[in-house]
Amino acid sequence: MTPSILIAGATGNTGRSTTETLSNLLQAPSSPLANHRILALTRSTTSSVAQRLASLPGVEVIEQSWTEITPEWLLAHNVVRAFIAPHNKPTQFADESTFHLSLRDAGVKYVVRISTTAAHVRPDSIAYYPRAHWGIETLLGTTEFENLHWTSLQPNVFQLFFFSAAQFIKEFRETGQQGTLRLIGSKDTPVGVIDSDDVGVVAAHLLALADTTKHNKKKYALNGPEAINGEGILRLVEKIIGVPVENVRYQDLSWLDGFLEAEYMGPGISRNVVLSMKRAAETAWDGRFSTVPTSQEVLELAAPRRTPEEMLETLLEA
């Protein structure tokens, strides 16, 4: 059977770009993995993104939850390499560690995983999900997982950082009226926001390598090419709408309560745990955790290219 590269979450933020880029890389005549196929997992094969991925060379889209994958499933599909962008709900560690255990037991050779902002991946992170990422990276570094090569990508915050700015601009264009520009970031502390597509490109280049030894057990930090603070976003917004913004609020997480309530709360889920997500931003606001520079290996493989202005423009087109 044709060897397979598994992309878990292929239609997600980073998975889509990983799949698209990997398909292109494997088509090159010089590709050492030209005989491999890409298994792109999705929750729905009928979505527009899934159908677009299915049209790419060497890509097979499968409706399958990665949390239910077993060693037997991996062996049946001859999976030899894998990519995982895990969810960040309270069950992340249990779900993702089970996934990696299945990879190991099926003899999979290499996995690239998406972590979170490098400075936050600590055993004492005030938010729960960076601790889960720290736990997974610690688990993979043990002797019990010695035969499974792995690389953990630790990207800075994604372009969601600009979502409220995009909404403000759209509403202004529609009504000619200004509401309040509510920004997640602080006025002065710069953040190396990175486009999720750029992260997927790096993951694909890693998965396409002939030899993964150099990148085994490595944790790579990724930032966008330009850091920006809240005041910088304000200036971008004013440049686009052509007039001064009348009201701006920095460090605004008012939107997050409703999102967490709808997406994360449920029977048996600790509110104390879930609401700790709001505390993650605080460490960026006060500068306690400075931005970890982009790893040199990332710059050599596929340096991130998308600027804050380009990310904001893309959100406006959506």
Side-chain angles (χ1 to χ4, degrees):
M1 181 186 294
T2 303
S4 303
I5 302 175
L6 177 69
I7 309 296
T11 54
N13 284 338
T14 53
R16 177 186 51 76
S17 176
T18 300
T19 305
E20 292 171 345
T21 305
L22 186 58
S23 171
N24 185 53
L25 291 173
L26 297 189
Q27 300 312 304
S30 59
S31 171
L33 305 182
N35 65 325
H36 290 51
R37 64 172 176 164
I38 300 169
L39 288 183
L41 302 191
T42 181
R43 286 176 291 184
S44 173
T45 55
T46 61
S47 72
S48 59
V49 176
Q51 292 178 350
R52 186 166 71 252
L53 294 180
S55 69
L56 298 176
V59 176
E60 179 180 350
V61 176
I62 298 178
E63 204 166 287
Q64 169 71 43
S65 171
W66 66 265
T67 61
E68 301 300 327
I69 284 178
T70 63
E72 292 76 18
W73 189 96
L74 294 164
L75 287 166
H77 290 84
N78 198 19
V79 174
V80 296
R81 295 187 178 189
F83 166 88
I84 174 69
H87 63 73
N88 61 356
K89 295 184 178 182
T91 59
Q92 179 199 332
F93 183 84
D95 290 335
E96 192 183 350
S97 61
T98 299
F99 178 78
H100 292 300
L101 188 63
S102 294
L103 295 181
R104 186 203 68 174
D105 292 348
V108 174
K109 301 301 182 184
Y110 182 51
V111 60
V112 176
R113 66 177 300 275
I114 303 299
S115 181
T116 191
T117 310
H120 290 189
V121 184
R122 305 160 54 97
D124 62 346
S125 171
I126 198 164
Y128 74 87
Y129 67 92
R131 296 197 303 270
H133 284 294
W134 175 85
I136 291 293
E137 292 172 352
T138 301
L139 176 145
L140 290 172
T142 63
T143 56
E144 287 81 0
F145 284 82
E146 191 69 29
N147 292 331
L148 175 62
H149 282 198
W150 60 277
T151 305
S152 191
L153 300 182
Q154 299 179 330
N156 213 316
V157 63
F158 290 154
Q159 60 267 34
L160 175 66
F161 201 71
F162 304 120
F163 181 76
S164 60
Q167 291 301 107
F168 177 90
I169 295 169
K170 288 180 179 180
E171 290 173 8
F172 177 78
R173 286 174 170 174
E174 291 175 1
T175 67
Q177 303 297 314
Q178 290 193 28
T180 299
L181 175 59
R182 303 176 184 273
L183 300 177
I184 299 173
S186 70
K187 179 179 180 180
D188 300 314
T189 305
V191 178
V193 186
I194 186 168
D195 193 295
S196 55
D197 282 357
D198 281 345
V199 179
V201 170
V202 174
H205 276 80
L206 287 165
L207 290 165
L209 292 172
D211 185 0
T212 60
T213 304
K214 174 183 176 181
H215 303 284
N216 183 30
K217 300 181 181 178
K218 296 295 181 66
K219 294 170 280 189
Y220 294 148
L222 299 90
N223 302 284
E226 298 176 12
I228 191 168
N229 58 21
E231 188 170 15
I233 299 174
L234 171 64
R235 300 304 169 219
L236 281 181
V237 171
E238 292 180 332
K239 176 183 175 182
I240 292 171
I241 66 175
V243 297
V245 171
E246 298 168 0
N247 297 293
V248 59
R249 287 187 58 180
Y250 301 105
Q251 302 177 198
D252 189 303
L253 297 177
S254 57
W255 62 275
L256 191 54
D257 288 324
F259 173 77
L260 293 178
E261 191 71 39
E263 298 294 329
Y264 285 72
M265 301 300 187
I269 301 298
S270 166
R271 296 182 68 85
N272 185 42
V273 170
V274 171
L275 292 178
S276 72
M277 293 182 73
K278 296 178 67 175
R279 305 291 302 278
E282 296 175 10
T283 58
W285 292 342
D286 62 17
R288 274 180 284 167
F289 292 146
S290 59
T291 298
V292 178
T294 300
S295 300
Q296 182 61 35
E297 293 88 345
V298 170
L299 297 176
E300 293 172 356
L301 280 169
R305 299 182 181 279
R306 300 268 293 168
T307 66
E309 187 168 5
E310 290 172 326
M311 286 183 253
L312 180 55
E313 288 290 352
T314 298
L315 289 172
L316 291 174
E317 295 168 1

